[in-house]
Structure formats: C-alpha cells, structure tokens
Amino acid sequence: MTPGLIISAPRSGAGKTTVMLGLLRCLAEDGAVVQPYKCGPDYIDPAFHRAACGRDSFNLDTWAMPGPLLAAQLARGGDMALAEGSMGLFDGVARAGEAGTGASADIAARTGWPVVVVLDVSGQAQTAAAIAVGMARYRADVRVAGVILNRVASPRHERLCRLALESAGIAVFGALPRRGDLTLPERHLGLVQAVEHPDLDTAIAGYAAFLREHVDLTALRGAASGGLPPEPGTLPPPPAQRIALARDAAFSFTYPHLLDAWRAQGAGILPFSPLADEPPPPEADLCWLPGGYPELHAGRIAAAGRFLDGLRSFAGPIHGECGGYMVLGQALIDAQGARHEMAGLLGLVTSYEKRRMHLGYRLAELSVPMPGHAAGARLRGHEFHYSTILAQPDAPLARVTDAEGATVAETGSHRGRVSGTFFHLIAAAS
C-alpha cells in the first residue's frame, strides 16, 4: 500500500506542473523513492516527471482504463506516490467510462490519496479561501489536505490569504511569490516535449530550490496517506513480438503504460528515427508510428528517402496514430500552406493551414482487425490535434464516438496491411 498525494488545482494554468516537478526533484534529492503519475490522458507531462525524479511516470485514467489496468498502474511501489492532476480537480466528461469520468477527483476517491490544491491567488485574497473550502466540501469521498498558494504578490497579500484559509480550517503548506521566469515553453498541444527543452535539468533544479525556500516539505510529505492494498492487475498484451517503433522529436506520443506492458510480456521494442532517415528494422513483425509533431518536421520527413522507402517495403503490418497516421497518408500540408508528400500507403491528406481543434476521449469499435485487436473490438483512446482532413478515401477502420456517444467523423482508415487512427490508444474497453 503506497501512500500518496495528488497535486491539483481549481483550473488549468494555476501552476500544477511547476509544483509537481519541483516536489519530485526535492523528494528524490532527499532520498525518497517517489512514483510519479499523471491523471488523465496527457502524454507529454510523464516525460517531464521522469526527468525530475528518474522514475517512469504513468497515466491514471478512470474513463479509459478498466479497473484491472488501473490496479496494475497503482501497484508500482515506491515510498510514496505523487500524481499530477489535469485541468481542475473535478473536471471530467459528462458520462462515466470504465471507472469514472476521467476527473482527477476520481483517482483521489479510488486511492484515498489526499489532494494538495495549488491556488493561483493573483487578483484575489480572502476569496481564495472560499474556493478552497468549496473544493474541500464538493465531494465527500475526496479529501483536501491543504493548499500551496501560488503567484503571491507581497507579504501583505500572503498574510491576507493565510488568515482567511486558516480561519476556514484549510492548511497552508507554503506560499510561492510571483515570478515570471518559472514557466515551461508551450506550443499548441501544451508543453513542448521534454527532449526539446533547452536546459530542462537546470529548470527543474530551479523549481526545486524555489519550493525548498517557500514550502514546508516535511509537512507536505507527512500529509501523504491512503493507497490501496495490492489487487490483481491486467496489462494490455503486445500487438506483436518484435515492434519497430518510430521514436524521435516527431514521433513520441506513446502512453508509457503501453510500452511498459509490452516489454513486461516479452515483446521487443526496436526504436528507429524517421528524422534521422532510419528505416524501420526489417526483422520486426510490426511497424508502429506514434503521434507527435510531424507538422513541424514535414519537410525533413518528406526528404527522408531511406525511411519512406523502408516503410513502403516493410513486410509486416503498419499502424499509425494521429501524426503517424498522417505520415502514412498521401500528403501533409503545413501551416504555411506548403504540401509535403508522405509515404502514400494510405490516401489521407491533412492540412495544418486550415486549423481545427479535435479534442476528447474516443471509443472505437473496429470494423476490421488492427494490430493486436480483432474486428469488433472496442478500444478507448484520446484525440488531440489541429489538422483538417482534406481527403480520406480508404475504407473506415472503425466506428468512433466521443465520450457522450456522439459519432465522430475521424474514423481512421485501412488499406491492405496498413491502418491508422486519429486517436491515441489507451486501453481495450472492458
């Protein structure tokens, strides 16, 4: 049974990630074996967590993950767990999926881990206490351990906030003064990838030093509690024995629990880099192109002749997710309107010149088999991109709906041994 804490907030942009990374580094420096997690379907933050503490971070998603998979995720040990929430603490979808609505509060209720709320108090003082009290009382099965004040303007501002919170019975673990330099660079899908940060370790060390100066780390660690007794867990089976996996700055959005599960069950992961013009290893049984940012590297991908020729001549099945699906298509049009010819294994043509956001959970029922899953299988995943489909002439891969059951036009497609989806697979539905 691993005690833990959930770092959450009333909304996005309150400073959760800065606090999470600083805490992970502090705990690791102090000798704790801390297991990081990310609530929800985010596939960028876990890489930052690993950089902060040296331990793989895994997603906890109550909408997409069946109970046995959640149990396997929660059985990863450590002295304590630290989970970063997504959006606001109670924000999820309207209709429950496998084990909940995807809200961070679902994980708090399931594990018994107390919540530490990061409160951005800019532009307010005593009202912060009303927000904290509301969060503490909103769900009886969720316990708020206390708050960390963020973006505090002055000692007087801090005093007003503290007095109000303490009079309401809300513990204050610390107060972080307003600083404009404590931010991570972002782009349209959120943070830039960890591998792209110019000096990530220095940035995280700065966050840790800042938290040591302004947060009571002893009290915070002492607030960790909860945790579940060991339960039988189930891991997703690998889709093949030897998997050629595209892995570089253009292809990196793969959920950590999938790769970990595949390796744990004996599959070999054979990484290759399309940006380095490397073809998929021909001895692999399957080629898997994850999502990422191919639109930022479309020219290099179109010019990567060894990669594209190797992809076209690959003998086994090929599957692409989101950006990987786009690269399997006929062409990708970048934000400036330039057309880049892709592999042409599918007829898909996508454009970033005509931007349209596609965001949300997806439930897909396969019309035909795809690697690792039979026709008729129901898969849960998440879609997030800004491309527009100009052509998708191949046969649909699946019937796809959103979290409320509405039909989604982005069905994916297949041709011969090649298939692709716009959603990122998280788990098979129970």
Side-chain angles (χ1 to χ4, degrees):
M1 182 182 297
T2 305
L5 292 170
I6 294 179
I7 307 302
S8 192
R11 59 174 177 80
S12 297
K16 293 189 300 289
T17 299
T18 298
V19 170
M20 176 75 174
L21 297 180
L23 284 177
L24 286 172
R25 177 59 59 87
C26 288
L27 291 165
E29 289 174 343
D30 292 345
V33 179
V34 57
Q35 176 58 58
Y37 292 102
K38 176 66 182 183
C39 299
D42 187 289
Y43 32 67
I44 296 178
D45 284 350
F48 284 89
H49 297 171
R50 178 177 174 77
C53 70
R55 193 173 171 99
D56 285 339
S57 177
F58 296 92
N59 297 81
L60 299 171
D61 193 314
T62 59
W63 188 87
M65 291 181 171
L69 178 54
L70 279 172
Q73 300 295 83
L74 292 167
R76 296 187 178 273
D79 298 327
M80 68 173 288
L82 200 63
E84 181 181 356
S86 61
M87 301 185 295
L89 174 60
F90 303 101
D91 296 330
V93 295
R95 291 168 57 177
E98 293 290 330
T101 65
S104 304
D106 291 344
I107 299 299
R110 187 179 187 91
T111 61
W113 293 338
V115 177
V116 175
V117 177
V118 179
L119 274 181
D120 178 356
V121 295
S122 54
Q124 60 183 279
Q126 290 94 333
T127 300
I131 295 170
V133 168
M135 294 182 72
R137 296 180 180 175
Y138 188 72
R139 276 181 64 167
D141 57 353
V142 173
R143 182 161 69 89
V144 172
V147 304
I148 294 174
L149 306 178
N150 193 24
R151 299 175 186 137
V152 176
S154 66
R156 176 180 177 274
H157 186 203
E158 178 183 343
R159 186 169 63 254
L160 291 172
C161 293
R162 278 185 179 272
L163 287 171
L165 285 155
E166 289 166 0
S167 68
I170 304 291
V172 179
F173 291 113
L176 304 176
R178 183 182 298 161
R179 278 180 58 176
D181 61 327
L182 290 179
T183 57
L184 288 165
E186 297 187 13
R187 63 164 62 101
H188 51 273
L189 297 189
L191 298 177
V192 301
Q193 299 171 89
V195 296
E196 298 176 290
H197 194 285
D199 197 353
L200 182 58
D201 192 68
T202 298
I204 294 173
Y207 304 156
F210 189 51
L211 262 66
R212 283 193 188 279
E213 184 178 357
H214 298 286
V215 173
D216 186 341
L217 297 175
T218 301
L220 198 67
R221 186 170 177 180
S225 63
L228 297 173
E231 299 178 41
T234 303
L235 297 175
Q241 188 61 37
R242 295 171 298 179
I243 304 167
L245 181 74
R247 198 75 172 162
D248 56 29
F251 302 91
S252 63
F253 294 168
T254 305
Y255 287 109
H257 72 277
L258 289 177
L259 297 184
D260 185 71
W262 296 349
R263 290 191 183 101
Q265 295 170 89
I269 307 296
L270 310 177
F272 68 100
S273 170
L275 291 183
D277 200 12
E278 296 174 355
E283 68 272 22
D285 306 308
L286 165 68
C287 180
W288 191 281
L289 300 184
Y293 290 110
E295 70 275 17
L296 302 180
H297 308 277
R300 285 180 64 185
I301 294 170
R306 290 182 65 242
F307 159 63
L308 293 172
D309 288 344
L311 198 60
R312 294 171 186 133
S313 63
F314 187 78
I318 302 172
H319 182 73
E321 292 187 333
C322 198
Y325 178 31
M326 298 175 200
V327 171
L328 293 175
Q330 191 65 45
L332 190 159
I333 297 168
D334 64 23
Q336 290 70 46
R339 180 184 173 102
H340 304 275
E341 299 302 316
M342 296 288 108
L345 293 172
L346 295 169
L348 181 70
V349 179
T350 49
S351 172
Y352 281 84
E353 184 182 26
K354 301 176 180 180
R355 284 168 57 93
R356 181 189 168 203
M357 186 173 74
H358 303 260
L359 172 63
Y361 285 120
R362 300 291 183 257
L363 177 61
E365 183 174 337
L366 294 178
S367 304
V368 295
M370 65 169 261
H373 301 280
R378 296 166 68 245
L379 309 178
R380 292 188 186 269
H382 187 265
E383 181 176 353
F384 189 9
H385 62 94
Y386 282 86
S387 67
T388 298
I389 300 173
L390 300 185
Q392 190 175 238
D394 299 297
L397 180 67
R399 177 183 178 270
V400 183
T401 57
D402 65 15
E404 296 188 7
T407 299
V408 173
E410 291 74 35
T411 60
S413 60
H414 69 97
R415 181 196 297 175
R417 71 188 192 285
V418 183
S419 60
T421 64
F422 276 106
F423 67 85
H424 299 257
L425 174 65
I426 297 175
S430 61

